[in-house]
Amino acid sequence: MKNDNLTSEKTFPNIPTGTMTMPETIMWFGQMLLNNFAPTRQYTVSEWIDHVIDTKAAAGRKRKTICGYRYCADRVKAHIGNMRICDVRPNDISDFFTALKKETVNAAARAVLKKGVDMKQILLAEGISKTRLAAVAGISQSTVDSAMKGNKILWSKAEAISAALRREPAVLFCKVPVEKKLSDDTMEDYRRFVSMIFSAAVRELQIPYNPVERAEKFRYHKKKAEILQPDDVRAVWEAAEQESIFIKALVHMFLITGGRRGEIAGFRWTALNWENSSIKIDHEILYTPEDGVYCEESTKSDRSRVLRLPAETMDLLAEYKLWQDQRRTELGERWIESDYIFTGRFGGRIHPDSISGYIERFEERYRLPHLHPHKFRHTMASILIYSGVDTVTVSKRLGHAQITTTQNTYAHLIQKADMESAECIADAIIRNKKIV
């Protein structure tokens, strides 16, 4: 809906008749530009940001995206929010990003054992070993060892240890706040957000140009996609074989499908085609502080896709379904009915953060390399690329909206695979080596 308070009608001065002098021509042209970019209301940056976000939310932009916009908006408002949108110049944008790069954010708090706390004596008094403490707390023994040596551990791990020992965390540990600089990826998120805000102002004739495009560019170092090496994949696979059917199926689906965390959380039984050994991915389970856990009826790229699954995966899912049916029967009325493959402890939707928690504890139990849901996705893509699968197919399996996303994300892997392909060709043709 058009808001008359946002943009005025384009009013051009009548073109004078006859011959104009150069000064008269310049004055006439300046007046034309002035009238063309003369909004009836002068918005501050803060007011304009709210207008743009509200407009995009009303237009149906994804809730997770809107939540990200609001997160970025706070810092932008704090720096240039009181300025009029028409007064912002490229140097103001450069100053904002210079200041932003110096800011720190609170990372996950750490904990260190308090002076005077003898953990060995506590374990002796409780009659519990370090191995048993780790099992009860749901963490790795290496974390317990690290804590007892006085090293820093995550505050969440300290809470788990304290709960297992039936003590308050503050009695055993000191909380150590951790601050870190904004990452390059986060800086790039802010750049895109600010550019979007001012592009909207250009579109709605609030300003004649986007100052972000003319501001000093900051150096952006894009991180390479983290992947598991072949030995690591084998270790993860073997560890998953020793786990409960739930964790085994969860890790299996991450490795085989390369799905996003929200997509895995949203897998439905009705989307599983037992005859064709495939699963349809067309939505996600997401979380925002404003909305809680909710179902986004589309994927990140707004494209649905169907993935073929190997026979071993289908067999595992059949076994898992029997376990889930049995659990449904055991819980009776306490079970929350749903169509989801992966559910909470009592059925229903699973919280996406719970999945990350399961993966984190799985990693700790077997002292595996650092795992996170997206690492499985990158690993699957790397396996396909090194196996010679073309980027179009890889892109479709990952659900990328554009093939360039795949090419940019995995550029270093594609280049390495291409180099190895060149060596294979040379071995076969030039060096006369037998290719097995």
Side-chain angles (χ1 to χ4, degrees):
M1 181 181 294
K2 182 179 178 181
N3 189 335
D4 292 335
N5 291 325
L6 294 179
T7 55
S8 59
E9 294 292 332
K10 293 182 181 180
T11 56
F12 296 91
N14 294 326
I15 300 176
T17 57
T19 303
M20 290 190 295
T21 63
M22 181 59 71
E24 289 174 336
T25 302
I26 293 173
M27 288 183 63
W28 172 84
F29 187 70
Q31 186 62 44
M32 183 189 73
L33 292 179
L34 182 63
N35 288 348
N36 196 27
F37 294 101
T40 57
R41 175 181 171 184
Q42 298 291 347
Y43 280 81
T44 64
V45 173
S46 288
E47 291 171 336
W48 187 253
I49 287 174
D50 290 339
H51 159 69
V52 173
I53 292 178
D54 290 345
T55 300
K56 290 188 177 296
R61 190 63 60 93
K62 294 183 189 297
R63 284 181 277 183
K64 191 81 172 178
T65 303
I66 296 299
C67 184
Y69 289 163
R70 296 196 193 283
Y71 176 82
C72 291
D74 291 339
R75 277 197 173 89
V76 179
K77 288 179 178 180
H79 282 272
I80 59 175
N82 291 329
M83 294 182 67
R84 293 190 308 170
I85 193 88
C86 58
D87 291 336
V88 178
R89 297 292 180 265
N91 65 292
D92 298 313
I93 300 298
S94 298
D95 291 345
F96 163 67
F97 281 108
T98 299
L100 195 63
K101 203 159 184 64
K102 295 177 182 178
E103 287 193 14
T104 57
V105 292
N106 292 325
R110 300 298 194 268
V112 64
L113 206 61
K114 279 188 170 182
K115 289 184 178 180
V117 173
D118 190 337
M119 189 65 81
K120 290 183 180 179
Q121 287 297 322
I122 293 175
L123 294 182
L124 190 62
E126 292 289 335
I128 185 173
S129 66
K130 291 190 293 184
T131 303
R132 179 60 182 162
L133 174 60
V136 174
I139 60 177
S140 66
Q141 188 174 327
S142 61
T143 302
V144 174
D145 291 335
S146 186
M148 292 180 67
K149 291 176 183 177
N151 297 328
K152 291 179 183 179
I153 62 173
L154 285 173
W155 180 254
S156 60
K157 309 302 180 187
E159 290 179 317
I161 291 173
S162 303
L165 295 172
R166 295 171 295 180
R167 286 168 170 78
E168 290 295 322
V171 174
L172 302 177
F173 296 93
C174 292
K175 197 168 189 177
V176 183
V178 177
E179 292 186 338
K180 63 178 183 179
K181 300 287 186 181
L182 295 177
S183 68
D184 280 358
D185 285 343
T186 302
M187 291 288 291
E188 177 64 8
D189 288 340
Y190 274 99
R191 188 200 66 77
R192 289 175 180 171
F193 171 73
V194 177
S195 182
M196 176 199 71
I197 292 299
F198 283 97
S199 289
V202 173
R203 246 184 351 261
E204 300 193 33
L205 301 182
Q206 292 291 313
I207 54 178
Y209 69 93
N210 185 343
V212 179
E213 296 175 357
R214 303 188 185 186
E216 187 72 25
K217 299 290 190 297
F218 69 88
R219 296 182 67 183
Y220 171 53
H221 303 284
K222 186 175 178 62
K223 286 184 180 180
K224 291 182 179 180
E226 293 183 85
I227 64 171
L228 293 168
Q229 297 303 316
D231 289 344
D232 297 331
V233 174
R234 194 173 298 109
V236 168
W237 196 264
E238 291 174 355
E241 289 294 320
Q242 304 175 52
E243 280 290 319
S244 67
I245 187 66
F246 178 88
I247 298 298
K248 182 179 177 180
L250 184 65
V251 172
H252 188 105
M253 293 302 280
F254 265 116
L255 280 170
I256 295 299
T257 68
R260 302 177 179 94
R261 185 182 70 168
E263 293 173 345
I264 299 284
F267 279 174
R268 290 171 172 158
W269 290 114
T270 50
L272 197 62
N273 189 317
W274 295 97
E275 293 181 2
N276 294 332
S277 299
S278 63
I279 189 167
K280 184 177 183 180
I281 302 176
D282 58 5
H283 69 283
E284 293 184 276
I285 299 298
L286 302 175
Y287 168 82
T288 67
E290 295 176 352
D291 302 299
V293 179
Y294 67 95
C295 178
E296 182 70 64
E297 294 296 343
S298 63
T299 63
K300 184 178 179 181
S301 62
D302 287 323
R303 293 184 178 183
S304 63
R305 63 192 189 278
V306 176
L307 301 184
R308 294 298 297 267
L309 303 174
E312 293 84 353
T313 301
M314 301 305 295
D315 291 342
L316 177 60
L317 288 174
E319 181 186 351
Y320 173 78
K321 193 173 192 311
L322 290 175
W323 171 84
Q324 191 182 79
D325 290 342
Q326 182 181 354
R327 182 162 178 79
R328 179 187 290 106
T329 302
E330 291 172 353
L331 290 174
E333 294 181 355
R334 290 184 296 166
W335 179 263
I336 303 171
E337 199 60 50
S338 74
D339 185 38
Y340 295 111
I341 294 178
F342 298 109
T343 68
R345 290 179 59 194
F346 297 94
R349 293 172 181 165
I350 188 171
H351 196 302
D353 289 346
S354 295
I355 289 181
S356 297
Y358 285 129
I359 297 299
E360 182 182 344
R361 290 189 290 274
F362 168 69
E363 167 202 325
E364 290 178 344
R365 282 195 292 274
Y366 297 93
R367 301 186 182 185
L368 297 166
H370 177 56
L371 300 176
H372 56 80
H374 229 64
K375 198 169 190 176
F376 291 117
R377 181 173 170 83
H378 294 323
T379 299
M380 187 211 70
S382 70
I383 292 172
L384 294 177
I385 290 169
Y386 282 126
S387 298
V389 178
D390 62 275
T391 52
V392 174
T393 302
V394 176
S395 181
K396 287 181 179 178
R397 189 165 183 91
L398 292 171
H400 285 159
Q402 298 176 332
I403 190 175
T404 52
T405 303
T406 310
Q407 292 169 336
N408 293 337
T409 303
Y410 304 106
H412 62 297
L413 298 178
I414 294 170
Q415 184 178 14
K416 186 176 180 181
D418 185 57
M419 290 174 63
E420 291 180 2
S421 297
E423 289 300 308
C424 286
I425 294 171
D427 286 342
I429 299 175
I430 303 173
R431 299 162 191 155
N432 296 319
K433 290 183 179 180
K434 185 178 180 180
I435 305 299
V436 181

